[in-house]
Amino acid sequence: MELQTWIYLVVGLSFALYIGIAIWARAGSTSEFYVAGGGVHPVMNGMATAADWMSAASFISMAGLISNMGYGGSLFLMGWTGGYVLLAMLLAPYLRKFGKFTVPQFIGDRYYSKLAATVAVICLLIASITYIIGQMTGVGVAFARFLGVSSDVGIYVGMGIVFMYAVFGGMKGITYTQVAQYVVLIFAYTIPAIFISLQLTGNPLPQLGLGSNIVGSDISLLQKLDQIVVELGFGQYTTTAAGSTLNMFVYTLSLMIGTAGLPHVIMRFFTVPTVKDARTSAGWALVFIAILYTTAPAVGAMAKTNLLRTITPGVVMSGSDVFAKDAALEYDKRPDWMKRWEKTGLLKFEDKNGDGRIQYYNDKTKNADTLAKADAAGWKGNELTVNADIIVLANPEIALLPSWVIALVAAGGLAAALSTAAGLLMAISAAISHDLVKGVFNPNISEKGELMAGKVAMAFAIVVSGYLGLNPPGFAAGTVALAFGIAASSLFPAIMMGIFSKKMNKEGAVAGMLAGLLVTLFYVFAHKGLFFIKGTEYLSVIGGPNSFFGITPEAFGAVGAGVNFIVAFVVDKFTKAPPEHIQHMVEAVRTPRGSKAVDGAH
């Protein structure tokens, strides 16, 4: 069969599976709609959690970022994986024991305040909607390349699929659909990696192939990659950091605590019967996540190697001069995969010196030797732009793998984006219907009315997220990292203090959430177009890019979290302590069941 036929077949079957599961797992009560009835098996919940958590950013973008950044991209691995461990160990079991299945409900009850719950809903909506832009964009990219439609049409189709299993099935439909989506995405990620690892190193395990020698050579894959990228004027693949050490640390921390504060992941721990099952499912989820995350560095390095081998024929394996005339690929002889990806706009060629060949190097480098070689070869600047988002999706095509493998990758990319989009939509729906409509405006609403409100809120959220995917705002670049920063600066501190500080009161929590959110959003918007006019010049409000100790906007969530904690504790010192029953409740949540109370006499 032809490639396009394989793609239609595999993607079509996966969509039919998701819709079939949604019809089978329709939600008939608010319990099934919000927490899947609370009866999901821990292993299945672990798979669903992994699919919910591993978004289009994990499947499509992360290996691409590692491929582009090398060592610097490890901050995403450390941040997202470390954040999940933080969530599983410090937050999820206590929240599960508390018994409130949404973050705003926990914050509202813990801080005995509808205002606190409302502020939490606002923070949740901003973080979730920002996050979902990236998922819809991922759906558009995958559809545009693999199904031969525009990215806009792809987003419309994705909206329709999510509507089918999220609105009708609620958390019950989403949970079992995510189990299927995890199976699809993990096979789609690992099978090409195994093929490519065998091609390059002869080792079937990508994790081991990353450190193995290239087939027929006595030099390792990473050593050879270091040599080539340095000659091309890029930083050494295995050592170059992402900006300053401070920025890399803060960025990693922001991703960690942002992960722990993401509401759609926290909700997953209420779909199992007991607190013990919540801990068990957290462990299984980490295992399922680790399969992809330990494979990602190999995928990134091998994709980079294959890309350079395509653009500079013979260089990667033979070690010939990367600036030799015959080392650059003739544009007219470019492979079919490049032609296909050029149509998406994510791969662009500009013939700056008119020689009909593709020159690819870092023309912004300070490496004088690289610039001298490029000038001597008649090169007039880098001519190829490769978007990081295509690395995973294009990798099997670059490596000339079988058509069914390419089709499987297409289905996997869509599964990753749709699974996280559904989880985010569930969190948005619950925040509006359960936390606002029932918790604040109409406490006496019937179960049937609340269920209908949840479905309407879900449908509305799908329309809004689709619109933002079709018309991404100006600050949409890096939206996934930005969403983690918003969750880190607003929700995470309030949850942590709510569990581990019985003295934290409602005034401190509300002031902290607002301060953390606002300072983070201000820093972000100040970089993304917030200017004032002085004469005829536009000047940045905060004095230039990364003006706060070189910290990038996507990394600023950790700073916002620090502001949140400081403001909360300062306000708490000057306001009334929480009621006694709230303090006892916090102590009870942290006390293991079956343990005896300890007093001064024991």
Side-chain angles (χ1 to χ4, degrees):
M1 285 192 291
E2 293 183 356
L3 172 60
Q4 202 60 45
T5 305
W6 270 111
I7 291 173
Y8 284 132
L9 178 63
V10 175
V11 172
L13 286 174
S14 68
F15 282 0
L17 176 63
Y18 306 154
I19 294 171
I21 292 172
I23 295 172
W24 167 73
R26 292 189 303 274
S29 66
T30 52
S31 175
E32 290 182 340
F33 188 80
Y34 291 131
V35 292
V40 180
H41 191 278
V43 176
M44 294 190 71
N45 193 57
M47 295 176 76
T49 303
D52 202 349
W53 185 73
M54 290 191 296
S55 64
S58 290
F59 188 96
I60 297 175
S61 298
M62 185 172 64
L65 289 167
I66 294 172
S67 179
N68 280 5
M69 300 167 65
Y71 168 75
S74 62
L75 66 88
F76 294 97
L77 286 169
M78 295 185 294
W80 285 334
T81 310
Y84 179 80
V85 175
L86 192 65
L87 168 64
M89 299 297 293
L90 290 183
L91 301 185
Y94 299 110
L95 291 173
R96 179 66 178 80
K97 187 177 179 182
F98 192 89
K100 305 301 180 182
F101 61 83
T102 70
V103 170
Q105 188 181 16
F106 165 77
I107 290 176
D109 288 4
R110 161 60 183 86
Y111 295 112
Y112 51 98
S113 168
K114 289 186 177 180
L115 176 61
T118 303
V119 172
V121 168
I122 293 171
C123 296
L124 181 151
L125 291 177
I126 294 173
S128 297
I129 290 173
T130 304
Y131 198 175
I132 211 169
I133 296 172
Q135 308 314 308
M136 287 301 178
T137 302
V139 170
V141 169
F143 269 108
R145 162 60 193 90
F146 292 112
L147 298 187
V149 298
S150 69
S151 59
D152 288 1
V153 172
I155 290 173
Y156 286 126
V157 175
M159 289 168 62
I161 298 295
V162 173
F163 185 91
M164 285 291 294
Y165 68 79
V167 173
F168 296 115
M171 182 61 91
K172 185 178 179 182
I174 288 171
T175 295
Y176 292 109
T177 303
Q178 285 175 335
V179 171
Q181 287 169 331
Y182 174 78
V183 174
V184 171
L185 75 87
I186 204 64
F187 276 105
Y189 203 86
T190 54
I191 287 176
I194 291 170
F195 269 99
I196 295 169
S197 182
L198 278 169
Q199 281 183 352
L200 289 176
T201 68
N203 195 316
L205 289 178
Q207 294 89 338
L208 299 179
L210 181 62
S212 301
N213 288 350
I214 294 173
V215 173
S217 170
D218 60 355
I219 188 171
S220 74
L221 176 72
L222 287 175
Q223 286 176 308
K224 189 63 182 179
L225 192 52
D226 269 343
Q227 289 179 8
I228 299 298
V229 295
V230 169
E231 285 187 57
L232 289 171
F234 299 98
Q236 196 170 42
Y237 189 84
T238 55
T239 59
T240 303
S244 65
T245 302
L246 174 63
N247 186 69
M248 193 163 179
F249 171 78
V250 175
Y251 207 148
T252 305
L253 181 61
S254 180
L255 292 174
M256 283 183 65
I257 61 179
T259 297
L262 284 176
H264 72 289
V265 179
I266 290 173
M267 288 180 68
R268 291 241 52 94
F269 295 100
F270 294 91
T271 62
V272 291
T274 66
V275 176
K276 180 182 178 181
D277 289 335
R279 292 183 183 274
T280 302
S281 69
W284 276 110
L286 190 58
V287 171
F288 294 132
I289 290 167
I291 295 173
L292 188 147
Y293 269 56
T294 57
T295 308
V299 171
M302 293 174 186
K304 185 85 166 183
T305 301
N306 278 333
L307 180 66
L308 293 175
R309 183 169 58 174
T310 300
I311 298 168
T312 53
V315 170
V316 171
M317 298 307 174
S318 70
S320 59
D321 183 4
V322 295
F323 291 99
K325 183 178 180 180
D326 58 358
L329 176 69
E330 290 184 40
Y331 181 70
D332 290 340
K333 294 181 180 179
R334 69 195 187 282
D336 290 339
W337 73 264
M338 292 187 73
K339 298 174 184 177
R340 290 191 289 262
W341 279 101
E342 280 181 312
K343 294 177 182 178
T344 68
L346 299 175
L347 184 74
K348 299 176 182 177
F349 169 69
E350 179 186 0
D351 194 0
K352 295 181 179 179
N353 65 349
D355 68 349
R357 291 179 177 268
I358 301 173
Q359 275 87 47
Y360 180 72
Y361 73 111
N362 182 12
D363 54 5
K364 303 293 190 297
T365 184
K366 295 180 180 179
N367 186 327
D369 185 50
T370 297
L371 295 176
K373 286 183 178 180
D375 185 60
W379 292 15
K380 303 298 181 184
N382 178 51
E383 298 178 341
L384 190 69
T385 303
V386 183
N387 189 298
D389 285 347
I390 79 168
I391 292 297
V392 170
L393 297 179
N395 202 17
E397 297 178 78
I398 299 172
L400 302 177
L401 297 187
S403 296
W404 67 268
V405 177
I406 299 171
L408 185 60
V409 170
L414 291 167
L418 293 174
S419 63
T420 301
L424 291 165
L425 290 166
M426 188 69 247
I428 293 170
S429 171
I432 294 173
S433 61
H434 187 73
D435 299 319
L436 278 185
V437 175
K438 181 179 176 64
V440 177
F441 299 117
N442 187 8
N444 298 318
I445 190 172
S446 66
E447 181 175 345
K448 185 177 180 180
E450 185 184 352
L451 183 60
M452 179 56 66
K455 291 183 176 181
V456 171
M458 178 83 76
F460 177 74
I462 290 173
V463 173
V464 172
S465 63
Y467 174 80
L468 291 172
L470 293 165
N471 305 281
F475 61 90
T479 48
V480 170
L482 178 57
F484 279 83
I486 293 171
S489 63
S490 58
L491 296 174
F492 174 78
I495 298 171
M496 282 290 290
M497 292 183 292
I499 294 172
F500 296 103
S501 174
K502 67 179 183 178
K503 296 292 186 180
M504 181 53 60
N505 61 18
K506 60 183 180 181
E507 292 85 0
V510 170
M513 283 190 290
L514 290 174
L517 176 66
L518 292 176
V519 73
T520 301
L521 289 179
F522 174 78
Y523 193 75
V524 169
F525 280 105
H527 282 80
K528 304 295 181 181
L530 182 62
F531 298 93
F532 66 90
I533 300 175
K534 182 179 181 181
T536 58
E537 296 180 1
Y538 289 86
L539 299 176
S540 173
V541 172
I542 57 174
N546 309 336
S547 56
F548 189 80
F549 298 102
I551 296 174
T552 57
E554 293 80 7
F556 200 75
V559 179
V563 171
N564 187 328
F565 278 115
I566 292 170
V567 169
F569 280 109
V570 169
V571 171
D572 177 67
K573 292 296 182 184
F574 293 97
T575 48
K576 188 177 179 181
E580 285 294 323
H581 73 278
I582 296 294
Q583 297 187 41
H584 289 313
M585 177 183 68
V586 174
E587 287 185 337
V589 167
R590 295 204 307 268
T591 303
R593 285 184 177 150
S595 64
K596 296 180 179 179
V598 179
D599 57 33
H602 293 79

